[in-house]
Amino acid sequence: MPADPPGFELPLRLFLGFRMLIDELHVELARQGHPDMRPMHGFVLQAIGPEGTTAVELGRRLGVSKQAAGKTVDTLEHLGYVERRSDPGDARRKIVRLTERGVDSLARSARIFEDLRAGWARTLGEDRLRALESDLRAMTAGDVFRLDVPGWFGGY
Amino acid sequence: MPADPPGFELPLRLFLGFRMLIDELHVELARQGHPDMRPMHGFVLQAIGPEGTTAVELGRRLGVSKQAAGKTVDTLEHLGYVERRSDPGDARRKIVRLTERGVDSLARSARIFEDLRAGWARTLGEDRLRALESDLRAMTAGDVFRLDVPGWFGGY
DNA sequence: TAAGCTCGACAACACCATTGTCGAAACAGT
DNA sequence: ACTGTTTCGACAATGGTGTTGTCGAGCTTA
């Protein structure tokens, strides 16, 4: 009977799978008119959501400071994915909203992810893929957002 | 018949699984006398390997500049995980080698990863876990190292 | 009204990656 | 052996990203 795979293979493969999907997503996104999207942008746009949000709240969701969130919003605003509007009900707040272009990028991302998933299903079979998703869901239940990735992995 | 899971769930769960394992590893590593290890350090120590290597070669393996690799080596040297020695056969080279402490951290990491994998096996069953690993292996075949993570995800 | 909190902006700082340059050493071709 | 090219490690300069701290303006509540 074969020995168990070494323990370090599991996290490595999980990361490689993630990275492969994200890279393929962005290759295709670039082809479809969004060449400036960075991996993190999609997560930020998702975190902003259809209702819009503020820099402080966005920072909380992403696990970074409000200044960092504001900086990211600056970039996304400059790229045309979001816009800032004054909140008529609270003069302190400036609500960050998705533009049409921002919504388009999310819609295309969703479509591309479906296609990529279908590719996995062709290789693995739908049953195996569902089992894989189900098992991952079982092991990672909980907080889907928590994207304090900037600075999490790196760091001297 | 149930609808397919949305396509974006797969990459998200892959990342969450990776992150959960890495976080649990470092909690346990800290308990076992390595509180200063950062997620990236383990990968760097693995990339250095038992034979040692140079800053330039390390940078190539990790996909970063030689300067960045050198900086990381500085930190690991300061923490006592590696040491630099002059190459007697080539006066230009300074070979980075693991110290005893560096080897110890890798040995403990391997053991902890085995334990974490065993935890997954208890929840999912050994068969399902093997299937999961096998499927991930099938989808991500290839270059296991290529950790140009610094700057890959982030970026304004 | 007054005190306290929240929001967004600005400044200063730290960290980490980059490119470019340089001298020393090894190597390859003549 | 000499010379030109390549490789290595160090240094300097730069840019991007995140942090804390501070401030004024505006809500909120006692």
Side-chain angles (χ1 to χ4, degrees):
Chain A
M1 90 189 183
D4 288 349
F8 66 79
E9 180 170 1
L10 181 56
L12 215 47
R13 295 289 178 192
L14 290 171
F15 175 73
L16 286 176
F18 168 71
R19 173 159 185 170
M20 174 175 302
L21 288 170
I22 296 295
D23 281 344
E24 288 169 351
L25 166 73
H26 282 85
V27 167
E28 188 57 26
L29 266 182
R31 279 208 334 107
Q32 295 188 17
H34 294 283
D36 295 324
M37 285 273 289
R38 307 275 299 116
M40 142 148 274
H41 292 164
F43 289 87
V44 174
L45 294 183
Q46 281 283 358
I48 290 172
E51 300 301 318
T53 183
T54 68
V56 169
E57 177 57 25
L58 183 59
R60 276 201 206 107
R61 286 186 203 167
L62 298 177
V64 299
S65 67
K66 61 185 180 179
Q67 290 85 343
K71 271 286 213 176
T72 302
V73 169
D74 285 345
T75 303
L76 287 172
E77 187 176 29
H78 186 258
L79 291 175
Y81 289 101
V82 303
E83 59 187 356
R84 285 185 228 241
R85 288 192 193 170
S86 294
D87 183 341
D90 187 337
R92 293 170 309 175
R93 291 157 53 97
K94 287 195 179 171
I95 300 181
V96 180
R97 288 190 176 282
L98 301 182
T99 61
E100 267 191 37
R101 181 170 175 76
V103 173
D104 178 73
S105 74
L106 284 185
R108 288 179 188 272
S109 293
R111 173 61 185 274
I112 294 166
F113 273 136
E114 304 291 346
D115 291 346
L116 292 174
R117 183 187 183 280
W120 282 45
R122 274 192 297 279
T123 301
L124 301 178
E126 181 66 30
D127 292 345
R128 289 286 287 253
L129 179 56
R130 282 198 191 237
L132 189 151
E133 288 168 331
S134 169
D135 289 346
L136 287 179
R137 212 175 293 126
M139 298 309 301
T140 65
D143 47 343
V144 166
F145 277 115
R146 213 15 229 281
L147 267 297
D148 45 346
V149 177
W152 166 72
F153 192 86
Y156 276 155
Chain B
M1 88 190 185
D4 288 350
F8 65 79
E9 179 170 2
L10 181 57
L12 215 46
R13 296 288 178 191
L14 290 170
F15 175 73
L16 285 176
F18 168 70
R19 174 160 184 170
M20 175 175 302
L21 287 170
I22 296 294
D23 282 343
E24 287 169 353
L25 166 73
H26 283 85
V27 167
E28 188 57 25
L29 266 183
R31 279 209 333 108
Q32 295 187 18
H34 294 282
D36 295 324
M37 288 273 287
R38 306 274 300 116
M40 140 148 276
H41 293 164
F43 288 88
V44 175
L45 294 182
Q46 282 283 358
I48 290 171
E51 302 299 320
T53 184
T54 67
V56 169
E57 177 57 26
L58 184 59
R60 275 201 205 106
R61 286 186 203 167
L62 298 177
V64 299
S65 67
K66 60 185 180 179
Q67 290 86 341
K71 267 290 210 176
T72 302
V73 169
D74 286 345
T75 303
L76 288 172
E77 187 177 29
H78 186 258
L79 291 174
Y81 289 101
V82 303
E83 59 186 359
R84 284 184 228 243
R85 289 190 193 170
S86 293
D87 184 340
D90 186 336
R92 293 170 306 175
R93 291 156 52 95
K94 287 193 178 170
I95 300 183
V96 180
R97 286 189 177 284
L98 301 182
T99 61
E100 268 190 36
R101 180 170 176 77
V103 173
D104 177 73
S105 75
L106 284 185
R108 289 179 187 274
S109 293
R111 172 62 185 275
I112 294 166
F113 273 136
E114 304 292 347
D115 291 347
L116 292 174
R117 184 186 183 280
W120 282 45
R122 274 193 297 279
T123 300
L124 302 178
E126 181 65 31
D127 291 345
R128 289 286 287 252
L129 179 55
R130 281 197 192 239
L132 188 151
E133 288 168 332
S134 170
D135 288 346
L136 286 178
R137 211 177 292 125
M139 298 309 300
T140 65
D143 48 343
V144 167
F145 278 114
R146 217 9 233 281
L147 265 298
D148 45 346
V149 177
W152 167 71
F153 192 86
Y156 275 154

